[in-house]
Amino acid sequence: MQTALVIGNWKMNGTLAEARPLATAIRDGLKRPRGVEVVLCPPFTALAAVSEIVKDSAIRLGAQNCHFEASGAHTGEVSPPMLAELGCRYVLLGHSERRRECGETDELINHKVKAAVAHGLTFVLCVGETGEERRQGLTFPTIEGQLRAGLAGVPVESIVKGVIAYEPVWAIGTGVNATSAQAAEVHGYIRGLLSELTSKETAHAIPILYGGSVKADNVEELVAAPEIDGALVGGASLNAAGFIALAKKAGRAGATSRGD
Ligand code: PGA
């Protein structure tokens, strides 16, 4: 990994009146971020406005979801080409909130991954176990199932251009993050699976992000841990000053863990 990757997932937050000043402040606070690539994922309704604000800046744009078709009779959905047209480079797929609230299955998520690839978007495939699965010792099988199914039939050359986010469901929005040791253990496991699906050399180039209650005061420890290449940040991405501090710390921590 050359640089840490920090993605702000605003979820269903951000009217235009809120999104514009937030994106502007983040852009202005991260003019030349060192050692970190920063991506903002506002809600669909704010993508065009945020795209305009971050164009020609160091900040990249992403979406929180997409449909797997390019167009058609899918009321309420948004397609990959629509996102690409707005300047999105990234798209989150398989977030646990969508798996839980919208019933997204691994098979559906796999269709979306393929569609993102076909339209030149970088997919961020989210995987993670629930608290119950962890208690039952099912963390690794859960992650393995989600990862293999999500990437089924995706060619190696496309897998290596993607991003994986490990987001333990019990850590999302709870204020209880996985410890760096807990996260590093699962990241190492994911790296091993990616090595099987691609090759040992190429698997190392695929960013594996940690997500779940990441804040400015725990990001350094997490990103400095082995196999953690960045962070997917929900709640803490809604405060400009806090998110700017978090991104800068991730850049420094990534550099330290790489020995730069
Ligand atoms: P959180 O959310 O940082 O608010 O825990 C992370 C996520 O769901 O991506």
Side-chain angles (χ1 to χ4, degrees):
M1 273 305 297
Q2 297 305 303
T3 25
L5 177 60
V6 170
I7 302 181
N9 172 14
W10 293 2
K11 308 193 178 184
M12 197 175 70
N13 296 291
T15 60
L16 285 178
E18 293 159 343
R20 284 197 181 103
L22 179 57
T24 304
I26 292 169
R27 176 198 67 193
D28 293 347
L30 292 168
K31 285 217 169 92
R32 276 174 295 278
R34 292 186 50 184
V36 62
E37 165 135 319
V38 177
V39 181
L40 300 182
C41 298
F44 289 136
T45 47
L47 279 172
V50 173
S51 182
E52 193 57 35
I53 289 165
V54 302
K55 79 168 192 289
D56 304 325
S57 82
I59 309 294
R60 303 278 168 255
L61 191 66
Q64 299 173 18
N65 177 40
C66 68
H67 195 269
F68 59 86
E69 297 279 13
S71 63
H74 303 287
T75 303
E77 293 288 341
V78 175
S79 77
M82 294 170 181
L83 300 176
E85 182 186 45
L86 288 176
C88 285
R89 295 202 190 176
Y90 292 82
V91 61
L92 308 181
L93 295 173
H95 191 283
S96 63
E97 285 154 13
R98 295 203 57 85
R99 291 177 190 262
R100 190 180 63 231
E101 292 181 12
C102 309
E104 290 200 5
T105 61
D106 285 325
E107 196 189 1
L108 176 68
I109 294 159
N110 177 245
H111 286 309
K112 294 183 179 204
V113 168
K114 288 176 177 157
V117 165
H119 294 280
L121 295 169
T122 299
F123 64 84
V124 180
L125 173 61
C126 304
V127 297
E129 81 286 3
T130 62
E132 190 51 35
E133 285 162 339
R134 177 164 279 262
R135 276 188 291 281
Q136 290 181 16
L138 295 175
T139 299
F140 287 171
T142 302
I143 302 291
E144 175 171 14
Q146 292 173 346
L147 197 76
R148 285 195 191 278
L151 297 176
V154 180
V156 171
E157 62 272 21
S158 301
I159 295 178
V160 299
K161 290 191 202 140
V163 176
I164 307 300
Y166 169 54
E167 296 209 304
V169 178
W170 49 271
I172 295 177
T174 59
V176 182
N177 58 288
T179 64
S180 54
Q182 284 173 321
E185 185 189 28
V186 179
H187 281 231
Y189 179 72
I190 292 173
R191 189 79 69 196
L193 291 172
L194 291 173
S195 302
E196 278 177 37
L197 292 170
T198 64
S199 73
K200 203 159 183 241
E201 294 69 43
T202 46
H204 278 279
I206 304 171
I208 307 177
L209 312 183
Y210 167 77
S213 298
V214 178
K215 303 181 265 306
D217 33 346
N218 61 16
V219 71
E220 269 170 304
E221 196 193 333
L222 286 159
V223 174
E227 309 292 357
I228 303 184
D229 303 311
L232 178 51
V233 186
S237 68
L238 296 171
N239 173 278
F243 185 66
I244 291 163
L246 186 160
K248 286 182 176 170
K249 285 181 178 186
R252 281 200 294 274
T256 313
S257 76
R258 292 189 308 272
D260 302 358

